[in-house]
Structure formats: structure tokens, C-alpha cells
Amino acid sequence: MNEMKTEVNTPTISPEALAHLGDGEIAYIKSIRSEDVAALFPQAPQIEPGVKLFALHAADGTPIMLTDTREAAVANASSHELETVSVH
């Protein structure tokens, strides 16, 4: 039998370059509970427990804004010319 070897060239990216991938261009929206707001947005006022909120994050995970509707988060991203992507 002939074994065929296939060489795979995997591109590499430095951790620094990966950290800046999508900077200023891509953002994501994450659903969060009001109990988790203080960890992401320490300056936010206290919100009653059990409220579903939406956080807009920069590509590197930096929180940008907090709102009570997904639509408002999408609109804010659009107004800042950020493309929103899905994360799971």
C-alpha cells in the first residue's frame, strides 16, 4: 500500500495580533443578568435582580454599553460602524 502524506501549513498569529483582530470593526452582543452587571460595568447603578440585559462588547471583549434590548445594542453598534457577530 502506498501511504500518501499530506503536509498541512497552519498559519500562525501572535497573541498580540490575535488580541487586536477586529479592533474598531467588530463587536458582539451578549445577554447578561442584572446580577452580573457590576463585574462588567462597575460604574453602572445597582439594578434589581432577575433583569435580562444586553451588553455590547468590542472584539477584544471590552464592554462598550449596556441596554435592556438587543435592538438597542445592535443600533449602537451600527451607529459606531461596528459589525456585530454571533458568539456562542
Side-chain angles (χ1 to χ4, degrees), residues 17 43 53:
Q43 73 282 12
L53 299 166

Side-chain angles (χ1 to χ4, degrees), residues 13-23:
I13 184 168
S14 71
E16 294 80 17
L18 184 60
H20 294 289
L21 192 64
D23 275 356

Side-chain angles (χ1 to χ4, degrees), residues 18-30 40-41 54-66 73 76-77 80-87:
L18 184 60
H20 294 289
L21 192 64
D23 275 356
E25 297 175 12
I26 298 174
Y28 65 92
I29 298 167
K30 182 177 177 182
L40 291 172
F41 299 92
F54 297 88
L56 178 66
H57 294 265
D60 68 356
T62 302
I64 297 172
M65 62 102 49
L66 182 68
N76 187 279
H80 288 94
E81 298 180 0
L82 295 169
E83 182 176 341
T84 54
V85 295
S86 294
V87 292

